[in-house]
Amino acid sequence: MQDTDPITAGRIDKLTDWLRLEQANGVGVRGAHILLRAFGSPRAILTAGHAALAAHVSASAARALCEPPSAEFMQLRDATLAWLDHPAHALMILGDPDYPHELAHIPDPPLLLYIRGRRELLTRPALAIVGARNATSQGKANASSFAASLSRAGVCIVSGLALGIDGAAHEGALQGTGSTVAVVGTGADLFYPTRHRALAERIARDGCMVSEFALGTPPNAGNFPRRNRIISGLSAGVLVVEAAEKSGSLITARVAGEQGREVFALPGSIHAPLARGCHKLIREGARLVDSANDILESLRISPLAPELLAPLPTETSCLGLLAHLGHGPVDIDTLLLRSGSTVGALSLELLALEMAGLLERLPGGKVQRVVT
């Protein structure tokens, strides 16, 4: 670092100060915001002295801020600088001009945002789609279909890369121009869950991955509630697709409401356990939706030109799927195996058949051909 120019050296000093504030034991995001309101900048905080700091945070947190950087911290700082050498990696600092405007105005915005991929997506109109990890086939199909339709209308889909609804929403969103943002609960250099590694790599290439956690941070349980406020904070609204009555998705919806975001929910069968969370949200004031247009109209987002929107498959183009349906009830997973299709494409074909009166939906997420 001896040969670094003054501009780069200044940026390194700024990053070091922000990392020290973020990493100081006992401070936390809320404590950091209290100190920033009192002192104005990380540099002012780090040079304020123990007595001045202890007037705003605990004595142990004040001591941590007064201690010189440890060897372990310097390793983290240097690893972060090395990570930032990659052209697809970036670090946004609270207060920077390109820090997402809506996120900056939640009560406790992240101090740092580690970015992999297309950072310009963070300025797009966005909707969060969340839901159960143990989602049904129909739930995943719905999430993918809504995400694909909204993405084709230019809306960026934000979710948390979890199994189930999150993964299906990301998959669907990658089919459109709006693309997708995955907010993760680990360091941005890790892939979690491992089953979504391939999906995460696609998002890092064609979409955007975001984390507030330092590089190397493992998937600790406490990280995910913190992640959820970013998912809703980046979005104009949150759509919940399948959720149990006690679910992390309902926490995201509650946080979204507190942030002034619109909350949407997909209804389901009264007999389906994963519909109960959505029904609870609807009773509490969430908007019931059954089409992507409902969301576009509510958020006053104008879709892109019709030629940019993928048309629904026609009845004729779905004749092959009719053969795979047979004449008895069949579930979505079986149809996927029979047809070799993707969840998003299959959802659109099923919708086309349903609109043509050639298909009916049955309880339990199954469908059946209608003989006319």
Side-chain angles (χ1 to χ4, degrees):
M1 265 177 242
Q2 295 176 348
D3 297 327
T4 54
D5 61 82
I7 296 176
T8 304
R11 289 173 178 165
I12 291 173
D13 289 342
K14 181 180 180 181
L15 170 62
T16 302
D17 289 346
W18 279 94
L19 269 177
R20 285 183 64 188
L21 176 60
E22 181 195 50
Q23 292 292 305
N25 288 332
V27 177
V29 176
R30 293 187 180 180
H33 284 294
I34 291 171
L35 291 169
L36 287 169
R37 285 193 292 270
F39 296 96
S41 71
R43 172 56 26 191
I45 292 168
L46 294 168
T47 57
H50 183 274
L53 296 173
H56 301 280
V57 294
S58 68
S60 61
R63 279 194 301 274
L65 288 164
C66 292
E67 293 172 353
S70 66
E72 183 180 9
F73 171 84
M74 295 306 293
Q75 288 176 355
L76 172 64
R77 195 279 307 266
D78 291 345
T80 303
L81 291 171
W83 185 81
L84 288 171
D85 282 339
H86 193 289
H89 298 171
L91 186 67
M92 292 184 181
I93 296 175
L94 183 65
D96 282 353
D98 58 352
Y99 191 97
H101 176 78
E102 296 298 331
L103 184 63
H105 290 84
I106 68 172
D108 50 353
L111 305 183
L112 302 173
L113 288 177
Y114 298 79
I115 311 295
R116 292 179 63 182
R118 298 170 56 197
R119 60 193 295 175
E120 75 273 10
L121 293 177
L122 300 177
T123 65
R124 293 265 185 95
L127 178 86
I129 297 181
V130 298
R133 285 176 172 80
N134 59 332
T136 66
S137 299
Q138 185 64 63
K140 287 184 280 190
N142 289 340
S144 179
S145 178
F146 267 76
S149 296
L150 290 164
S151 179
R152 292 189 185 109
V155 178
C156 182
I157 301 302
V158 183
S159 198
L161 199 61
L163 299 175
I165 296 301
D166 288 20
H170 289 306
E171 293 273 9
L174 287 168
Q175 300 176 31
T177 58
S179 195
T180 191
V181 170
V183 185
V184 299
T186 66
D189 55 331
L190 303 181
F191 294 99
Y192 180 82
T194 53
R195 283 168 56 186
H196 274 171
R197 182 183 182 110
L199 175 59
E201 289 175 341
R202 284 176 60 205
I203 294 171
R205 183 185 68 243
D206 301 325
C208 180
M209 291 184 64
V210 176
S211 175
E212 72 170 317
F213 299 104
L215 299 181
T217 301
N220 299 319
N223 295 356
F224 296 95
R226 287 179 59 185
R227 174 205 62 176
N228 291 348
R229 83 190 194 287
I230 303 175
I231 292 174
S232 55
L234 286 170
S235 309
V238 174
L239 170 64
V240 181
V241 181
E242 289 194 337
E245 282 189 282
K246 295 182 180 179
S247 159
S249 301
L250 300 193
I251 296 174
T252 305
R254 175 180 57 77
V255 172
E258 293 170 353
Q259 293 172 345
R261 284 20 175 196
E262 186 95 33
V263 178
F264 306 93
L266 285 187
S269 167
I270 61 172
H271 303 293
L274 291 179
R276 291 173 187 163
C278 293
H279 294 168
K280 182 175 186 290
L281 289 174
I282 292 167
R283 288 195 300 272
E284 293 173 351
R287 177 163 178 176
L288 183 155
V289 295
D290 56 17
S291 75
N293 278 338
D294 291 341
I295 295 172
L296 292 173
E297 290 172 3
S298 179
L299 298 180
R300 297 187 174 138
I301 297 173
S302 299
L304 298 176
E307 61 269 18
L308 297 180
L309 302 178
L312 282 173
T314 64
E315 178 184 338
T316 303
S317 70
C318 295
L319 290 177
L321 181 58
L322 283 175
H324 293 306
L325 275 169
H327 293 280
V330 61
D331 59 63
I332 304 300
D333 284 340
T334 300
L335 276 179
L336 285 169
L337 289 173
R338 290 178 182 174
S339 64
S341 182
T342 65
V343 172
L346 180 63
S347 298
L348 293 174
E349 291 180 341
L350 291 174
L351 178 59
L353 290 176
E354 187 176 14
M355 293 174 66
L358 298 175
L359 176 104
E360 65 175 338
R361 297 187 185 271
L362 303 175
K366 294 186 177 183
V367 295
Q368 183 170 347
R369 180 177 182 174
V370 174
V371 179
T372 58

